[in-house]
Amino acid sequence: MCGLSYFVYILACADGTLYTGITNDIENRLRTHNSGKGAKYTCGRTPVTLVYKEACADRSAALQREREIKRMPRARKLRLAGAWAPR
């Protein structure tokens, strides 16, 4: 591994919706979303707040976990986010 860790993350958008994505730089990605230059979905829903992140072994594992989370009902995503404590 080249020192790059991938994360799957959930953002709470200003309109109350949730957005799930992956990145190898959480802080930079959060800044990008909040600048309006992130994902098309979040650009009109700023500010966004990080409510969950999970480290993954590699990009492939992060993509797989992202798919799993996106398929979860909203209530389950909120429980996942509620159980997460920022570090």
Side-chain angles (χ1 to χ4, degrees), residues 26-44:
I26 289 281
E27 298 305 321
N28 184 54
R29 191 67 180 141
L30 189 57
R31 278 192 303 276
T32 303
H33 280 296
N34 276 317
S35 74
K37 295 182 170 100
K40 186 175 182 179
Y41 184 84
T42 60
C43 70

Side-chain angles (χ1 to χ4, degrees), residues 46-57:
T46 56
V48 298
T49 305
L50 181 68
V51 295
Y52 178 78
K53 74 176 178 180
E54 179 180 326
C56 297

Side-chain angles (χ1 to χ4, degrees), residues 7-11 19-23 26 29 33 50 52:
F7 298 89
V8 62
Y9 62 92
I10 300 175
L11 301 176
Y19 173 82
T20 304
I22 70 164
T23 186
I26 289 281
R29 191 67 180 141
H33 280 296
L50 181 68
Y52 178 78

